[in-house]
Amino acid sequence: MKFKILLALIFVNLIQAQKFYFPKTAVTDSVTLEKQIPGLAQQVIPLLQSAKYKPENNIDLMDNLFRLQMATQDYKKSIVSLSENRNLFADHNMAGYRLVGFELYSMAKMAQKENNISFSNALQKVFTQKYESLPEKLTPRLKLVLDGDVAEFRKQLRKVLDKQKDKDSIDYKTALALCKSYINYKTYTSIKPQVLQLLASKDKERFIIETKDLTIKNGNTLTITIVRKKGNTSPLPVILTNNIYAGSFDELFGKRAAIYNYVGAIVNTRGKRNSNNVNNPFEHESEDIYEVIDWVSKQPWSDGKVGMIGGSYLGFSQWAAVKKVHPALKTIVPQVAVGIGIDYPAQNNIFMSYMLQWIQYVTNNKFTDEKDFANAVKWDSINTKWYKSGRSFRSLDTISGKPSKIFQRWLDHPGYDQYWQKMVPYKEDFSKINIPILTTTGYYDDDQIGALYYFKQHHQYNKNANHYLVIGPYNHGGAQSFGFTYVNGNPIDPAARISIDDLAFSWFDYILKGGKKPEILKDKINFQVMNTNTWKHVSNLDKMHTSSVKFYLQDKKNTSSVFNKPETKSFTTQIVDFKNRDQKDSYYKVSKKDSIKTTNSVAFESEVLDKDMIISGNLSGTFHVSINKKDFDTDTYLYQIQPDGKSFLLSTHIVRASYAKNNEKRQLLEPNKMEQIPINNSYFMSKKIEKGSKLLLLVGVNKSPNWQINYGTGKDVSDETIKDSGEPLEIKWYNDSYVELPVYND
């Protein structure tokens, strides 16, 4: 009896310390591990739901809870939690079904027990049930969510277990991580091979899929995949996608088009799949796509009309295609389109370190090097090593261990010169584009600047451009196909939870089949105002706002309002030492739970707003500065400090000062002379800022492993090294500098 009491006391003490008994033998013995997991998960669940450990949002709570319930082998409860998890997402997209693999596993375990059959037979039974219950338009994406990375799951499980070596107790955080990683690994090792075979069988029943090599007139060979729905026997319009990311996405895009009753055609770029031509991303798309359109439009399954769709590089490809419009190309739907030379590989003329990671991703092999691309530790290490070394940005590829001719060639064109201009329409070229176009992008889209560049140029040079824009609270993925319900951890308004796929193919129905115009396209610009649950519709970008407010770079202690022009001229001095690569980060304290990194920035805080304000459009304005060098890269952030004390990033802007007035021609600054730096090409947003909020404006200097470092000598920035840094950069930010906030009033 005394022994039992003693054990109980030990157990209570462990719980109070948020630690649980966990034998060290479980680390090395898989049988012991499997026996221990259910009991461990059972103890973790109450703490997950407790006030102390409960996640801030329901997504994280439900994401953890269903895995713990699976770990306890309570599959009935896990299925309920999985259903609740899915309900947190919009029903029209695959985001809500991203966990279907776990659902299949739980259902199969229940069916195995209830029907006394093998797990394999149970899995086949529940897969058929689940597949037939899914909306048809979601089935093309099933492979994405069922093709779990078993090797990565094994690696993560091993990583957690290694932390437990020689320990007989486990803390709450590690226990939660262990249960989750165990279930991830257990689920996909159990279901993956079989469900992928079952899915392939279903696809074979539904689609005709052909992959062939296409030799075009210019002598190049490209791999093309054609997908048709078996029930469609008459010629149909072709939806073409030009895809550098060769692999599983080819069939996905093709099946998506077929499901919407089109012929899907996916062509891979030069050097991909079976093509033995040289792979030079971006450079030859205009020429090649023209030939591909010509071929597909003449095939027996084509009615002669071609539309194009795709996001990111695939969005860029469509703008390359209209450099010279083929008569059969009737419309394009560029989504989150890369603005080549505009926002990638340099944003506002500042090259990004990510470019090398991406180059290797698409050129290491004939498909995509997923393992290398996803190796964040490797790439962070390479970028940090370069940053710490002080070597030139041009040496980054050498530091990575894999020199790149493409990387070097891109660096040879720091301005928006003919090298970039020839890849897509340039100035007057836009006047000749007379086909209807639908552009989609988002406030959080990494390529928003590029997508809007094409939109603005088209309308500038073609006054009758039949070109529509849909923009809302979407990230790079959400604005091209997956209308996520949560972005950056924040729920988007219900009104914004639209199906991007449905929108795109409704547009194709409208243009290619004489269908009804999509309801949301009430005007050329269609934008969602965050925090209002409404969409607005205006005829041009300037009408996204009705007035503006200037936020001056002045300390609110010296003025009644940062929105009033200062009466006397002064400046704030900022010193940035480029030699210092071990600089400690500084932070702006927002609240007990929130802070904002302000390293290499100067913070300007507004007074508390006494009424609601809708900021809608993009930041503009002018910085009046004086520096002791010939150039620098500005870095600007605008935050809302909400009444609850949480920060919300509204917009950012980065630019090389010497290119701020003209992205084609560098104009160096004169040291110690006051210069004007215009703010252009910042990120668009539209959001209601509640009364009781404050605005926080950070202005500063780019000095980061993620971007080139501009030492200000006036030489080619790619060739500058830390030896060129000289004395620290001294900036005088004059208080009549301002960031102009676009304001919308009903």
Side-chain angles (χ1 to χ4, degrees), residues 366-384:
K366 294 282 190 175
F367 293 89
T368 50
D369 194 342
E370 301 291 341
K371 187 175 181 180
D372 182 77
F373 185 70
N375 191 344
V377 174
K378 170 190 169 179
W379 287 103
D380 286 347
S381 174
I382 289 169
N383 295 339
T384 301

Side-chain angles (χ1 to χ4, degrees), residues 345-408:
Q347 186 174 129
N348 294 334
N349 301 92
I350 305 172
F351 284 106
M352 56 189 72
S353 306
Y354 167 77
M355 62 193 272
L356 181 62
Q357 182 180 358
W358 184 87
I359 289 169
Q360 294 195 15
Y361 177 47
V362 298
T363 63
N364 279 355
N365 60 48
K366 294 282 190 175
F367 293 89
T368 50
D369 194 342
E370 301 291 341
K371 187 175 181 180
D372 182 77
F373 185 70
N375 191 344
V377 174
K378 170 190 169 179
W379 287 103
D380 286 347
S381 174
I382 289 169
N383 295 339
T384 301
K385 184 177 179 181
W386 160 73
Y387 177 79
K388 293 276 190 182
S389 75
R391 292 171 64 182
S392 70
F393 190 74
R394 195 176 286 280
S395 70
L396 183 63
D397 61 337
T398 304
I399 292 171
S400 79
K402 194 166 188 177
S404 167
K405 291 180 181 178
I406 298 167
F407 179 76
Q408 295 298 329

Side-chain angles (χ1 to χ4, degrees), residues 94 137-145 203 207 209 225 227 241 243 247-259 264 266 481-482 501 505:
M94 204 66 215
K137 291 172 183 176
L138 296 185
T139 56
R141 293 209 184 100
L142 263 181
K143 187 175 180 181
L144 284 180
V145 296
D203 285 346
F207 304 108
I209 302 174
T225 301
V227 183
T241 298
N243 186 23
S248 59
F249 281 100
D250 297 332
E251 286 193 8
L252 185 155
F253 294 139
K255 288 186 286 187
R256 178 179 63 176
I259 286 293
I266 301 83
S481 56
F482 304 92
D501 277 359
F505 282 90

Side-chain angles (χ1 to χ4, degrees), residues 120-164:
S120 177
N121 288 341
L123 183 59
Q124 183 172 346
K125 178 181 179 181
V126 300
F127 176 86
T128 301
Q129 293 171 349
K130 191 65 186 176
Y131 184 89
E132 292 175 355
S133 72
L134 286 173
E136 185 185 33
K137 291 172 183 176
L138 296 185
T139 56
R141 293 209 184 100
L142 263 181
K143 187 175 180 181
L144 284 180
V145 296
L146 292 177
D147 194 8
D149 190 341
V150 172
E152 181 60 25
F153 292 147
R154 183 189 296 111
K155 179 181 173 183
Q156 292 302 320
L157 176 59
R158 189 71 259 163
K159 188 177 179 181
V160 180
L161 286 172
D162 285 345
K163 289 183 179 179
Q164 284 300 120

Side-chain angles (χ1 to χ4, degrees), residues 534-600:
T534 59
W535 285 85
K536 300 292 183 184
H537 314 273
V538 294
S539 57
N540 60 62
L541 289 172
D542 289 338
K543 290 184 179 178
M544 281 183 71
H545 62 276
T546 53
S547 61
S548 62
V549 172
K550 293 179 179 178
F551 189 133
Y552 289 93
L553 305 194
Q554 54 184 334
D555 192 326
K556 69 174 183 177
K557 296 174 184 175
N558 300 325
T559 180
S560 58
S561 174
V562 296
F563 304 124
N564 294 334
K565 187 173 182 178
E567 296 178 0
T568 58
K569 195 165 186 175
S570 64
F571 57 80
T572 300
T573 301
Q574 182 185 8
I575 306 292
V576 178
D577 185 0
F578 288 115
K579 286 192 179 81
N580 185 354
R581 295 302 159 88
D582 295 306
Q583 182 178 0
K584 289 185 178 180
D585 288 327
S586 57
Y587 293 87
Y588 173 93
K589 187 81 171 175
V590 176
S591 63
K592 290 182 179 179
K593 292 186 176 181
D594 199 2
S595 60
I596 298 170
K597 189 176 176 180
T598 57
T599 315
N600 301 316

